[in-house]
Amino acid sequence: TIFYTDYDNIQLQRIPAVGPPAPILENAGKAHIYGAELETQLNPLSGLSLTAAVSYLKAAYDKVNTTFITTATPLPRVPKWKVSLGTAYKLKLANGSSVDFNADYSYTAAQWGSDVDSNRLLLPSYSLVNGRITYHHKDSGWSIAGFVTNLTKEVYFNGALNFIPNAGNLTYNVGRPREFGVEMKVQF
């Protein structure tokens, strides 16, 4: 997939450089984003599926209607590269039930955490690994799964603001920690 998108009348929140850190919503101007995505799936063996995807993004402001950004300001939360890999295997049991084994990996490149030059912070790249095992009962329509997300306990950020000029601190939105659990489904 190749795409190009124009954005008109972009609204951005900014934190004033002085005074209380209360966000102000402003019409900022126009921008564009273009990129490409490539996805593939391979089934080399019965029950085994391998997937891969890569995406590239490029974004820029074309015109700005405000003084808190320029056309050189990068758009926030637009990672240049994203990559994902996955594998799934379905094991059919002798009684007609099945067990699914799933694992996936994702990489997100560095990106800017906010849209204002005065409080812009770079968010580092990060990688996540997730896994899941699901037992599907053959006749009764129920399944039970064990799962884990962020298996490697990656500490990552998905947003940030620099409040140093007015509040004396940096604020980072921390991504989800390792989580695990059991899930049961019943279909009727």
Side-chain angles (χ1 to χ4, degrees):
T1 305
I2 297 173
F3 59 91
Y4 180 92
T5 304
D6 279 319
Y7 289 101
D8 292 330
N9 301 316
I10 294 176
Q11 292 187 322
L12 300 176
Q13 284 190 2
R14 72 176 177 92
I15 306 297
V18 293
I24 297 171
L25 186 65
E26 290 190 26
N27 290 325
K30 297 180 177 186
H32 69 272
I33 185 169
Y34 64 87
E37 287 185 14
L38 177 64
E39 298 178 15
T40 187
Q41 180 174 338
L42 182 65
N43 297 15
L45 303 170
S46 177
L48 179 63
S49 174
L50 305 172
T51 58
V54 62
S55 66
Y56 170 81
L57 294 175
K58 180 73 174 172
Y61 288 104
D62 299 317
K63 177 183 173 189
V64 294
N65 302 331
T66 184
T67 59
F68 68 91
I69 61 170
T70 69
T71 55
T73 302
L75 269 69
R77 297 188 180 112
V78 180
K80 191 172 187 175
W81 292 100
K82 288 188 94 169
V83 176
S84 64
L85 303 170
T87 184
Y89 181 71
K90 180 179 284 293
L91 176 64
K92 295 182 179 179
L93 304 177
N95 68 359
S97 297
S98 64
V99 180
D100 294 343
F101 300 88
N102 300 84
D104 63 76
Y105 163 85
S106 65
Y107 166 80
T108 302
Q111 57 191 308
W112 292 103
S114 69
D115 44 29
V116 182
D117 283 336
S118 64
N119 62 10
R120 189 174 64 208
L121 296 172
L122 185 63
L123 306 175
S125 62
Y126 61 91
S127 298
L128 298 175
V129 177
N130 305 309
R132 181 181 194 89
I133 299 174
T134 308
Y135 172 82
H136 299 276
H137 190 267
K138 73 170 191 160
D139 293 327
S140 59
W142 65 268
S143 64
I144 188 165
F147 66 88
V148 61
T149 58
N150 194 0
L151 179 65
T152 60
K153 295 183 180 180
E154 177 90 6
V155 176
Y156 64 100
F157 306 104
N158 53 25
L161 287 173
N162 180 353
F163 288 116
I164 287 178
N166 46 14
N169 68 336
L170 301 174
T171 301
Y172 285 90
N173 302 332
V174 179
R176 298 188 72 88
R178 176 193 289 169
E179 297 174 302
F180 55 90
V182 175
E183 177 181 272
M184 186 168 184
K185 290 185 179 180
V186 177
Q187 295 178 352
F188 50 91

